[in-house]
């Protein structure tokens, strides 16, 4: 099959690790021809061009800045995406008959290009639903449900669901949410197709002590790591409350690695408070970051308590892959914590519940064997549920 994949992620080579590159490599392994469209944001000063590899063709389309920019440019750039992608596909791949169109949210503004290719090629369509917009923006107070902005994007969201032959959701709570809030979508078109990765079995050698010493991280404390975006969705205020409370502990240390719109706020907190039991790292080379995750003991997930949509952060997968239990502080609507507790690899509390969260930290710190046991359960759950082999089978059963 000829596969067309539309995404906002900046992909340069299919060998990169990530939930989308891993899935595309799985399609290649099964003999499919993969064509990927990605943005070349204005800040990178690149023109539209096609990259050919042995595994796939990657069409990099010049766009406005969509990430790490102000809301005005982000909004305009998101709205223009479908026109820019459509023109580029017509120019470079007009003669290709695509059998399947895959696309992920965000954004919800691919309608025009999806409809055009679907009609021209009589292709099937599959939405990988990773973000429920515009409701997530309403939850965070970015605009109201009565605003013109909400109405415009809500219509685009509804149209995207109509164009999709199938919708793959990250968890059962996501499926339930989509069906409850979109009564025109038939239940047989919506399923769980979770975030997934290609599990790395290589376990490359690295010097743990040397890495921790280089980063000024204590070697003998129980290490908790948060890696990923530091933005409004993560509820950074509660994370800083946890860091402050952990200053009373003697044997636990928190490592925060990431960037995003709230990184400056987090940086100011570290500057003002000089914590002895935590550190903040803005970015690390990919291999060094992977090694740091391997060097830690417990993974962390934070989400803003105001969310009414069930988010399911993909950073969970790297924690499970590295056999780490996970502590979670989220809203009441996601099922990421319930799934973790049911399967024995994590603990959950509502974001803002500081006393319970610190009890969870203490629960981990008092028994290292418990940490290892829960980590092994998480790895087993990953192998059974969150591999690209399984995601590929879920997807392809509709098209074979």
């Amino acid at each position: 099959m000829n596969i067309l994949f539309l995404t906002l992620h900046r992909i340069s080579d299919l060998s990169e690790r990530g939930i989308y590159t891993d899935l595309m490599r799985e399609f290649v392994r099964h003999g499919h021809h993969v064509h990927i469209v990605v943005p070349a944001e204005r800040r990178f000063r690149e023109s539209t061009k096609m990259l050919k590899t042995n595994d796939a063709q990657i069409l990099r389309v010049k766009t406005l800045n969509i990430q790490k920019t102000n809301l005005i440019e982000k909004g305009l750039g998101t709205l223009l995406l479908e026109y820019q992608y459509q023109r580029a596909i017509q120019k470079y791949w007009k003669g290709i008959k695509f059998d399947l169109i895959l696309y992920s949210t965000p954004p919800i503004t691919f309608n025009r290009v999806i409809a055009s290719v679907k009609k021209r090629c009589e292709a099937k369509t599959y939405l990988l639903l990773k973000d429920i917009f515009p409701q997530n923006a309403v939850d965070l107070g970015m605009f109201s449900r009565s605003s013109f902005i909400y109405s415009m994007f809500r219509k685009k969201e509804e149209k995207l669901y109509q164009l999709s032959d199938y919708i793959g959701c990250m968890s059962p709570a996501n499926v339930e949410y989509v069906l409850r809030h979109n009564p025109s979508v038939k239940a047989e078109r919506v399923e769980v197709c979770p975030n997934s990765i290609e599990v790395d079995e290589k376990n490359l050698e690295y010097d743990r002590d040397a890495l921790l010493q280089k980063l000024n991280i204590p070697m003998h404390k129980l290490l908790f790591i948060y890696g990923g975006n530091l933005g409004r969705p993560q509820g950074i205020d509660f994370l800083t409350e946890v860091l402050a409370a952990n200053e009373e502990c003697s044997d636990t240390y928190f490592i925060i690695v990431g960037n995003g719109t709230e990184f400056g706020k987090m940086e100011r907190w570290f500057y003002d408070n000089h914590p002895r039991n935590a550190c903040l790292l803005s970015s690390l080379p990919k291999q060094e970051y992977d090694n740091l995750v391997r060097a830690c003991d417990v993974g962390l997930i934070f989400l803003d308590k105001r969310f009414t949509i069930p988010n399911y952060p993909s950073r969970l997968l790297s924690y499970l892959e590295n056999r780490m239990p996970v502590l979670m502080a989220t809203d009441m609507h996601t099922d990421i914590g319930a799934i973790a507790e049911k399967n024995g690899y994590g603990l959950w509390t509502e974001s803002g519940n500081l006393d319970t969260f610190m009890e969870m930290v203490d629960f981990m710190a008092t028994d290292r064997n418990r940490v290892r046991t829960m980590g092994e359960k998480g790895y087993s759950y990953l192998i059974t549920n969150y591999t690209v082999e399984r995601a590929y089978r879920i997807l392809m059963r509709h098209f074979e």
Side-chain angles (χ1 to χ4, degrees):
M1 293 173 64
N2 283 321
I3 310 294
L4 176 65
F5 177 51
L6 312 175
T7 181
L8 278 188
H9 282 251
R10 183 176 169 82
I11 298 172
S12 299
D13 191 284
L14 212 59
S15 64
E16 300 166 356
R17 293 204 72 201
I19 61 173
Y20 298 126
T21 47
D22 287 9
L23 182 59
M24 291 303 102
R25 285 198 304 274
E26 187 67 14
F27 274 92
V28 170
R29 274 193 289 272
H30 285 268
H32 301 289
H33 304 287
V34 172
H35 303 73
I36 305 172
V37 188
V38 302
E41 295 181 65
R42 180 173 62 85
R43 59 194 164 97
F44 295 111
R45 300 181 180 179
E46 298 174 349
S47 59
T48 297
K49 62 181 178 181
M50 186 165 65
L51 308 175
K52 291 186 177 181
T53 70
N54 292 332
D55 296 330
Q57 295 185 38
I58 302 172
L59 181 55
R60 188 175 288 170
V61 180
K62 184 177 181 180
T63 68
L64 294 179
N65 290 326
I66 304 164
Q67 303 175 49
K68 299 180 181 178
T69 188
N70 61 75
L71 287 176
I72 295 176
E73 184 176 16
K74 180 184 179 74
L76 182 58
T78 301
L79 290 172
L80 289 174
L81 270 177
E82 57 185 347
Y83 301 96
Q84 295 164 332
Y85 274 30
Q86 185 177 10
R87 285 199 305 268
I89 292 170
Q90 288 175 339
K91 178 179 178 180
Y92 287 90
W93 294 333
K94 186 176 182 179
I96 298 177
K97 185 179 185 302
F98 294 105
D99 303 292
L100 174 61
I101 311 169
L102 293 173
Y103 40 95
S104 60
T105 57
I108 59 167
T109 53
F110 282 151
N111 293 339
R112 180 179 293 268
V113 62
I114 294 168
S116 173
V117 177
K118 182 174 185 177
K119 181 178 180 180
R120 175 175 69 84
C121 301
E122 298 181 340
K124 295 294 184 181
T125 54
Y126 196 106
L127 167 60
L128 298 166
L129 189 67
K130 309 298 184 186
D131 180 69
I132 298 177
F133 182 87
Q135 184 57 47
N136 59 355
V138 171
D139 291 343
L140 296 178
M142 298 174 68
F143 48 77
S144 72
R145 287 178 66 94
S146 61
S147 67
F148 168 77
I149 296 175
Y150 174 84
S151 178
M152 176 183 65
F153 280 115
R154 176 58 174 152
K155 289 177 182 177
K156 288 183 176 293
E157 180 191 21
E158 291 172 336
K159 179 62 175 177
L160 184 67
Y161 294 164
Q162 291 171 10
L163 281 170
S164 304
D165 294 317
Y166 298 97
I167 301 173
C169 297
M170 297 181 290
S171 72
N174 278 258
V175 171
E176 192 275 333
Y177 183 95
V178 169
L179 294 176
R180 176 158 43 94
H181 292 274
N182 300 275
S184 64
V185 176
K186 295 181 180 179
E188 57 266 26
R189 293 171 47 218
V190 187
E191 64 187 354
V192 175
C193 186
N195 294 328
S196 60
I197 58 172
E198 179 184 0
V199 178
D200 186 359
E201 303 281 4
K202 293 191 289 289
N203 287 324
L204 298 176
E205 292 296 323
Y206 78 108
D207 190 329
R208 179 182 187 272
D209 290 352
L211 175 61
L212 296 181
Q213 187 174 20
K214 174 185 175 182
L215 298 174
N216 295 313
I217 296 171
M219 300 178 193
H220 304 298
K221 292 188 177 185
L222 193 71
L223 301 181
F224 295 74
I225 186 167
Y226 174 92
N229 187 48
L230 292 168
R232 294 177 69 176
Q234 282 67 49
I236 297 303
D237 288 342
F238 182 63
L239 173 54
T240 56
E241 289 182 32
V242 169
L243 297 179
N246 192 59
E247 288 299 286
E248 303 299 322
C249 303
S250 60
D251 52 358
T252 52
Y253 190 89
F254 281 63
I255 303 163
I256 313 300
V257 189
N259 50 47
T261 58
E262 300 295 288
F263 179 82
K265 184 176 184 178
M266 179 66 72
E267 193 173 37
R268 286 191 296 274
W269 186 89
F270 270 82
Y271 180 81
D272 292 340
N273 292 276
H274 305 288
R276 62 182 176 83
N277 278 339
C279 68
L280 175 65
L281 304 171
S282 61
S283 61
L284 292 172
K286 181 67 169 63
Q287 189 58 56
E288 190 169 50
Y289 171 75
D290 289 344
N291 288 341
L292 178 58
V293 175
R294 292 170 61 192
C296 292
D297 303 292
V298 181
L300 300 169
I301 288 176
F302 291 89
L303 288 172
D304 194 294
K305 68 183 297 182
R306 293 173 292 174
F307 276 124
T308 63
I309 61 167
N311 291 295
Y312 210 93
S314 61
R315 70 179 58 88
L316 170 70
L317 303 180
S318 65
Y319 300 153
L320 300 185
E321 184 181 26
N322 286 283
R323 294 175 163 84
M324 302 163 65
V326 188
L327 300 189
M328 309 176 194
T330 75
D331 57 90
M332 295 288 288
H333 298 276
T334 181
D335 52 353
I336 192 170
I339 292 173
E341 291 191 326
K342 179 180 178 181
N343 292 281
Y345 63 79
L347 300 174
W348 172 88
T349 188
E350 184 180 7
S351 180
N353 193 336
L354 184 60
D355 289 342
T356 302
F357 193 90
M358 296 313 297
E359 288 173 3
M360 288 158 44
V361 171
D362 185 63
F363 182 80
M364 292 287 101
T366 54
D367 191 340
R368 299 253 178 156
N369 287 329
R370 177 188 294 141
V371 171
R372 285 188 286 271
T373 299
M374 292 178 68
E376 289 296 333
K377 288 182 179 179
Y379 183 77
S380 296
Y381 193 81
L382 171 76
I383 295 300
T384 303
N385 296 278
Y386 295 151
T387 65
V388 289
E389 293 92 340
R390 183 170 185 272
Y392 175 84
R393 290 196 302 271
I394 292 171
L395 246 157
M396 288 302 296
R397 65 186 177 187
H398 304 295
F399 311 113
E400 291 178 331

